[in-house]
Amino acid sequence: MRQDGVRARQREQTRQALLGEGRRLFSERGYADVGLAEIVAAAGVTKGALYHHFEGKTELFRAVLEEAQQEVARRVETAAGAHDDLWDQLLAGCQEFLTAATDPGVQRVMLVDGPAVLGWSTWRALDEAASARHLAEALTALVDAGVIPRQPVAPLAHLLSGAMNEAALWLATTAGPDDLAPTRAALERLLGALRA
């Protein structure tokens, strides 16, 4: 019994090492410029160990992307949860999404390589699972409270999610470091136009 626990712990340590080094390398250089041999060497494991956990580089990348998306979702939830007012929760969560998406450890994996490596449909489904649901829930609560005029929430959630993803992608690929503050201000004005 004890031996099984040790093995399970070792397997999880190996998996975490692969995820950590994969994320570091994918974030620094991008998916296309990182090879499996480099990932396993950095993680201090064998290729066999990698294939025990992942079918290959693409599956490892997908796991890294999911981890990054979950991290951003946690940051958004924490920022929103720091407020009691529903409107302030929406603003704080959306602003934190933009801030989190500009993190160099997130940008390339989540916004640049994610859609390119996994395809738009898969990337979008992962994004939906990680954070879009929370946006829809927040908007539903605001509609129910009368803060936002009664309307179908799904189109609104997709429009806002698309706008924020596009802004985050722009910040990640072409904008300068001084562009985050005006982008956050523009987002606040956009969201303010929704109020009843």
Side-chain angles (χ1 to χ4, degrees):
M1 198 67 133
R2 184 177 170 160
Q3 188 91 2
D4 289 342
V6 170
R7 285 190 188 123
R9 215 171 20 260
Q10 289 171 334
R11 280 192 299 272
E12 185 55 26
Q13 287 173 340
T14 298
R15 186 176 190 282
Q16 289 305 314
L18 289 163
L19 284 168
E21 291 304 323
R23 182 167 179 178
R24 181 182 66 79
L25 292 166
F26 292 143
S27 296
E28 288 174 1
R29 299 209 322 272
Y31 178 85
D33 290 337
V34 176
L36 281 181
E38 186 175 5
I39 294 169
V40 297
V45 301
T46 65
K47 274 192 181 180
L50 182 136
Y51 286 117
H52 176 76
H53 293 280
F54 305 100
E55 288 181 13
K57 181 177 160 183
T58 302
E59 190 180 327
L60 172 61
F61 178 81
R62 180 185 173 122
V64 166
L65 171 63
E66 287 174 332
E67 188 177 77
Q69 286 178 318
Q70 290 166 2
E71 177 185 305
V72 169
R74 280 191 302 274
R75 287 180 61 176
V76 167
E77 286 178 42
T78 299
H83 301 274
D84 294 327
D85 180 76
L86 292 174
W87 182 256
D88 291 340
Q89 289 174 3
L90 177 71
L91 286 178
C94 290
Q95 296 290 10
E96 184 57 32
F97 173 81
L98 284 183
T99 301
T102 61
D103 182 321
V106 170
Q107 283 182 341
R108 183 174 218 141
V109 168
M110 193 170 96
L111 300 169
V112 179
D113 286 346
V117 172
L118 300 178
W120 176 255
S121 295
T122 299
W123 179 83
R124 186 71 190 108
L126 293 172
D127 180 60
E128 182 88 22
S131 62
R133 174 178 50 85
H134 299 294
L135 178 59
E137 289 169 359
L139 291 169
T140 298
L142 287 164
V143 167
D144 290 346
V147 177
I148 294 176
R150 187 147 302 280
Q151 60 189 293
V153 170
L156 182 58
H158 281 87
L159 284 166
L160 288 176
S161 178
M164 289 187 292
N165 280 330
E166 181 61 29
L169 181 58
W170 175 70
L171 287 167
T173 58
T174 59
D178 296 333
D179 289 324
L180 177 59
T183 303
R184 287 174 55 114
L187 176 60
E188 188 165 343
R189 286 190 298 275
L190 177 71
L191 292 170
L194 298 175
R195 292 193 82 156

